[in-house]
Amino acid sequence: MKSFTYEKATSPAAAAAAASAKPGARFIAGGTNLLDLMKLQIETPAHLIDVNGLALDTIEATPEGGLRIGALVRNTDLAADARVRRDYGLLSRALLAGASGQLRNRATTAGNLLQRTRCSYFYDTNQPCNKRVPGSGCAAIGGFTRLLAVVGTSESCIATNPSDMNVALRALDAVVETVKPDGETRAIPMADFHRLPGDTPHVETALEPGELITAVTLPAPLGGTQIYRKVRDRASYAFALISVAAVVQPDGTGRVAVGGVAHKPWRVEAAEAELPRGAKASAAVLLDGARTTEENAFKLPLVERTLKAVLAEARS
């Protein structure tokens, strides 16, 4: 591990200002992803800003009837919160499907939003990767692609977003709250928070340099039946081959977001209009324009079958 300097932040605005003032600075809270990347020298921050002491670890009701989840709320606490379990069961189930209990005890809401891809070429520093070294190329294209993206890809990157929580937040229309280095705050819809790779796959979110996540806001409860189904190679502690987050209303309408298929949680609102007609019609719109390889083409029928199972469960 390379040497770095360290400081404890005293306020969200101060943390953002410090990150902006020091090139190569990174925020650290649970560290469940960042520390691994530092050990492998995939990320080599010159300065770490510890945000654990900030008062961002509470879950509060909003005037609009939703919930405001602090950036430092641990995954275990969020999944166990009575309000989340009652009104946003989709989110609770997605969190419990991710990682192990030990990791969930440390991992934070903001850290989960910022999880970096688990593409094996990204983790292999002997291989070219545009995410790790912009402009170096993408070894995954033409390589082993079974776990990689099938929609929203580019000639520069075919990596997937690894987070279960992100898929649920996209289906729930969450909003990410931040503070900039100048103290200005803003709210970023989950739909706009993660970026598709394009020519700049190393730019993964809409965050500006130094911008700090302070909370995630959920709208008023949607009702309906909420289901999160994750398909993986083994029963636990594995990333999704594909996952489906769905909110299904009694009349058959609803919302669907899919994980394991793209660089960001994948939701196509036009596909939701097809839900009353069934999984086949909805999946056809959801996955329109997919670019597959021989190794990952199975993801297309797997999404359709999983969505079909989710809709059947919701009806029952």
Side-chain angles (χ1 to χ4, degrees):
M1 186 180 290
K2 299 193 178 215
S3 62
F4 55 87
T5 53
Y6 170 89
E7 70 173 286
K8 288 188 176 183
T10 56
S11 72
S20 178
K22 297 183 179 179
R26 289 293 306 273
F27 302 117
I28 187 167
T32 56
N33 190 195
L34 179 59
L35 290 178
D36 283 343
L37 296 175
M38 290 174 65
K39 291 173 185 176
L40 296 170
Q41 296 193 8
I42 294 168
E43 292 204 28
T44 55
H47 185 67
L48 290 183
I49 302 167
D50 189 337
V51 296
N52 281 297
L54 306 182
L56 300 174
D57 58 353
T58 59
I59 304 173
E60 302 170 332
T62 66
E64 296 76 24
L67 288 180
R68 187 174 185 272
I69 303 161
L72 296 177
V73 173
R74 307 292 165 169
N75 288 177
T76 295
D77 296 331
L78 181 57
D81 185 88
R83 294 162 294 183
V84 174
R85 293 176 62 188
R86 182 188 66 229
D87 297 328
Y88 308 96
L90 176 60
L91 176 57
S92 183
R93 294 184 184 99
L95 287 164
L96 293 173
S100 65
Q102 294 93 327
L103 286 174
R104 291 196 299 269
N105 288 343
R106 290 295 304 162
T108 63
T109 300
N112 213 321
L113 282 169
L114 299 174
Q115 272 194 85
R116 304 205 70 188
T117 185
R118 263 40 183 203
C119 174
S120 59
Y121 296 98
F122 172 73
Y123 271 82
D124 185 349
T125 55
N126 293 312
Q127 299 287 342
C129 172
N130 288 318
K131 270 187 173 301
R132 188 170 11 87
V133 182
S136 63
C138 177
I141 297 177
F144 180 68
T145 59
R146 181 172 181 270
L147 302 177
L148 300 180
V150 294
V151 285
T153 59
S154 73
E155 297 302 318
S156 297
C157 184
I158 56 173
T160 56
N161 186 295
S163 170
D164 293 288
M165 185 192 81
N166 288 343
V167 185
L169 291 180
R170 180 65 185 93
L172 293 170
D173 274 338
V175 174
V176 181
E177 297 181 5
T178 69
V179 61
K180 296 182 181 181
D182 62 2
E184 179 186 353
T185 61
R186 67 168 172 155
I188 308 170
M190 193 66 185
D192 302 325
F193 184 78
H194 294 97
R195 293 166 47 109
L196 291 177
D199 296 328
T200 56
H202 61 290
V203 183
E204 298 173 350
T205 71
L207 294 175
E208 298 176 5
E211 193 168 6
L212 174 70
I213 297 171
T214 54
V216 172
T217 302
L218 298 176
L222 299 170
T225 301
Q226 300 188 16
I227 299 172
Y228 185 77
R229 182 165 294 201
K230 181 177 181 178
V231 182
R232 44 191 164 179
D233 281 328
R234 57 181 186 270
S236 64
Y237 201 48
F239 295 97
L241 294 173
I242 69 102
S243 62
V244 172
V247 180
V248 185
Q249 302 298 340
D251 63 358
T253 62
R255 300 179 178 188
V256 173
V258 180
V261 298
H263 201 255
K264 61 186 292 184
W266 194 252
R267 181 180 171 195
V268 179
E269 279 79 353
E272 296 169 356
E274 302 295 327
L275 282 176
R277 296 180 54 205
K280 185 177 183 66
S282 183
V285 178
L286 186 68
L287 301 171
D288 184 44
R291 299 169 63 185
T292 64
T293 67
E294 184 177 351
E295 292 166 341
N296 66 17
F298 74 93
K299 289 193 174 190
L300 303 190
L302 185 58
V303 168
E304 181 183 331
R305 290 199 300 268
T306 305
L307 179 56
K308 182 178 181 180
V310 165
L311 294 177
E313 181 180 347
R315 285 194 299 270
S316 67

